[in-house]
Amino acid sequence: LHGTRALIVGSGAIGQRVAAMLAPFHVAVTEVRRSARDGALGMDDWRAVLGDFDGVIVAVPATAETDAMFGAEEFAAMKPGASIL
């Protein structure tokens, strides 16, 4: 994991805990929040940079808004060999 980049989509309690668990492994974490602030990407920004990450962690609640958040376009935009959790 050392030196990899992770995108955490959803920076609530679970997303924050995952980020904390990745810190000792020196994973560069970028968070996605409802609105961009404090270095986090907003909900309209993350798709454009999916190819920059080695792993994508989805930590959003299951709602109508998040249903089908990831589809063929998002998977195609990811870096070859990237993982989604």
Side-chain angles (χ1 to χ4, degrees):
L1 292 174
H2 182 78
T4 61
R5 297 185 69 201
L7 181 69
I8 300 178
V9 182
S11 65
I14 294 171
Q16 291 293 310
R17 180 69 178 134
V18 171
M21 292 171 67
L22 291 173
F25 297 99
H26 304 282
V27 175
V29 172
T30 300
E31 297 175 356
V32 176
R33 297 180 177 174
R34 287 189 184 272
S35 59
R37 63 182 162 90
D38 301 328
L41 300 173
M43 291 303 289
D44 295 331
D45 306 319
W46 61 273
R47 285 179 176 87
V49 296
L50 273 172
D52 296 343
F53 297 93
D54 302 293
V56 178
I57 296 111
V58 182
V60 295
T63 66
E65 184 180 355
T66 61
D67 188 37
M69 182 179 251
F70 278 83
E73 287 183 38
E74 288 77 18
F75 287 110
M78 289 175 64
K79 183 185 221 179
S83 300
I84 188 164
L85 305 169

